[in-house]
Amino acid sequence: MLRSDPSALEVASKLRGVTFQDVECGSVDGKGWGLTATRNLTTTDVNTGDVPKLITIPHDLVLNQQTVEEYAKESREFRELYEAVGRQSARRDVLLFLLVQLARGNPDLPSGTRVVSHSWTEYLRFLPEDVLVPTQWSTDERKLLDGTSLKAALTAKLSSLTSEFDFVFDKSCNLPFWYSVLWETEPRRVQDWIMLDAWYRSRCLELPRSGVSMVPYLDMVNHSSKPTAYYDEDSKDEVVLLLRPGTSVAKGEEITISYGTDKPAAEMLFSYGFLEPTEKGGSLVLPFGVDRDDPLARAKLMAFGEPPKVHVSVDRDGVATWECPFAYLSCLNEEDGLEFRLLQDVEGNRELRVFWLEEDVTDRSKDFEAVLRDHAIYALVRLRAVTILQGCLQEELQQLQSQAYYDSLSSDPAVRKYCKVAAAALREIEAGILETVVDAMQKEQAALVADENVVAYFGSMETAESDLVGDEAANEEEDEDFS
Ligand SMILES: C[S@@+](CC[C@H](N)C(=O)[O-])C[C@H]1O[C@@H](n2cnc3c(N)ncnc32)[C@H](O)[C@@H]1O
């Protein structure tokens, strides 16, 4: 499917009742298509109410779960497919709808397999086949991301996309009409589903009233951390793009919106396929590896109820913080006062309960830091957690900095330059964050070791150990005597 050109987009927009005011869509360096001003634009004061509407889009062009429900009412054929495959989630419903529009655009469909047309059937030709998000990278290109926080998320996402696609196939291949449309003439491939998911992720936005939606034409606006425009829904439920109050844009300059502030670099690359020029700081999320030697590991994981993660961040002033709620639970053991009990109700249902110093704290398992904060053991547990986390992050950092493998992939001509540049930028950003956090953890460790409760704890351990040594020596003497 070859992408049409921006002039055709303008013609199509007029036919659909969309208005572009003082702006036009065209190619923008390094960003695909984008929106630029066709004359100098300015707003000086929000209170005058004089905020120029740059684009106005009728409500009926908006695509979300409600659109899919309505389309299912209009199209008997789609209804059959929707009943079999749909209503799993809003996102999946939209993807299913887009898959049908993609197939509907196929000119070779046999007669008798035409589905009701929709404005989105035609709009799809204005979307780029390759969004450059890592789910669309080749296997070798994805290897460039080894060691980054994106690696695990990407593997999981690709596996869930494959399962979703298999589910659509399994449920629809027995429906003769849909077999013919989706799988016979031009069989849909998992790559199509991956592309639809990439479109959804990179072009979806949250409207104030209609919620998470895809909005044609508005989705041609690129992101900036210093955006000049924003979107809204007006009193007629039309979606409008407005110039930000107090903003001026010169003729020929790009109009931008914000796709979200403070998103980690990995998330920007994952969702939109690009990274912003690096500013200081940032954040990342990594899976927290559970200690498999811990006999309580399974119970702890069950009580916690979700895959443990560690979230680290560095603010613009270089101040590092970390968050890993599971680490506190992970560092406690029975000698500290942690206990798991399986309680059984009268009907025989069994439930795992968590106790801390004989108190039932099951409902607070996700926030064990708060459970411990007022106890003398808090500093000690924090020290254990920091020590473990620091080790994990150090390992992650080493992986990120191991250049040899990365270099060999980078010289592979089949690996696209865009992916090399994006992966290298992500690796550099994440290594910078990890270095700062590991340094800060070292300092925190030193401070915790000097904490009075920790000193007292180690002191008591030493006494216990020397008592033990004394006992052992006495035993040895006794043994000797006995012998
Ligand atoms: C909502 S679309 C915007 C229109 C898009 N440029 C196009 O050609 O269709 C989002 C996509 O635009 C591109 N994009 C948006 N802002 C960008 C930026 N600041 N730098 C680089 N690419 C950007 C990315 O490919 C992103 O996935």
Side-chain angles (χ1 to χ4, degrees), residues 112-326:
T113 54
R114 284 278 161 191
V115 198
V116 173
S117 179
H118 194 278
S119 60
W120 273 85
T121 323
E122 171 207 37
Y123 188 71
L124 295 191
R125 68 191 166 100
F126 299 120
L127 305 188
E129 207 171 317
D130 196 351
V131 183
L132 298 173
V133 289
T135 43
Q136 289 189 300
W137 293 14
S138 70
T139 313
D140 275 349
E141 288 167 347
R142 288 199 303 274
K143 282 189 194 148
L144 294 169
L145 298 169
D146 283 3
T148 69
S149 67
L150 209 47
K151 178 71 186 171
L154 188 56
T155 309
K157 181 70 182 178
L158 281 169
S159 144
S160 89
L161 285 169
T162 307
S163 317
E164 284 177 354
F165 182 74
D166 290 347
F167 178 79
V168 174
F169 175 78
D170 288 346
K171 294 280 174 185
S172 62
C173 68
N174 296 326
L175 308 172
F177 180 90
W178 289 105
Y179 179 76
S180 181
V181 173
L182 295 175
W183 315 114
E184 198 172 36
T185 322
E186 186 192 346
R188 294 293 136 199
R189 304 158 309 151
V190 69
Q191 280 77 8
D192 293 325
W193 190 255
I194 291 173
M195 177 182 76
L196 299 178
D197 170 75
W199 282 348
Y200 186 82
R201 227 160 348 116
S202 63
R203 311 185 87 87
C204 220
L205 39 82
E206 178 133 25
L207 294 173
R209 283 200 294 278
S210 304
V212 176
S213 307
M214 290 177 78
V215 185
Y217 308 98
L218 179 64
D219 67 355
M220 294 300 164
V221 187
N222 290 319
H223 162 87
S224 166
S225 52
K226 295 185 183 69
T228 46
Y230 68 103
Y231 54 84
D232 202 353
E233 285 177 291
D234 67 12
S235 53
K236 289 187 263 172
D237 272 349
E238 294 163 327
V239 182
V240 287
L241 178 72
L242 303 158
L243 203 60
R244 283 187 171 238
T247 306
S248 297
V249 181
K251 179 180 175 182
E253 255 179 31
E254 193 183 1
I255 310 271
T256 52
I257 56 172
S258 168
Y259 292 179
T261 48
D262 294 331
K263 283 193 176 154
E267 192 184 334
M268 284 305 281
L269 185 59
F270 182 73
S271 299
Y272 304 106
F274 72 90
L275 288 170
E276 295 199 273
T278 40
E279 286 187 26
K280 261 188 102 114
S283 61
L284 62 96
V285 183
L286 291 166
F288 176 79
V290 178
D291 177 6
R292 296 283 161 208
D293 292 335
D294 178 0
L296 296 179
R298 260 169 65 89
K300 287 175 181 177
L301 276 175
M302 272 183 74
F304 193 68
E306 60 186 69
K309 291 191 181 100
V310 49
H311 186 148
V312 297
S313 59
V314 177
D315 70 13
R316 281 174 221 280
D317 300 323
V319 178
T321 44
W322 62 267
E323 239 179 75
C324 181
F326 184 76

Side-chain angles (χ1 to χ4, degrees), residues 71 78 81 96-105 115 178 182:
Y71 184 67
F78 182 70
L81 180 70
L96 182 69
F97 170 88
L98 290 174
L99 185 73
V100 167
Q101 302 315 317
L102 202 63
R104 195 188 178 295
V115 198
W178 289 105
L182 295 175

Side-chain angles (χ1 to χ4, degrees), residues 435-480:
E435 257 168 0
T436 312
V437 176
V438 167
D439 266 9
M441 281 182 158
Q442 252 154 14
K443 291 190 185 107
E444 187 177 358
Q445 250 179 323
L448 285 167
V449 168
D451 181 280
E452 57 179 303
N453 287 317
V454 175
V455 172
Y457 175 82
F458 286 131
S460 67
M461 291 281 286
E462 265 173 34
T463 316
E465 265 171 33
S466 58
D467 285 352
L468 204 65
V469 172
D471 288 351
E472 274 171 10
N475 283 344
E476 269 169 27
E477 273 168 28
E478 273 170 26
D479 284 354
E480 273 167 20

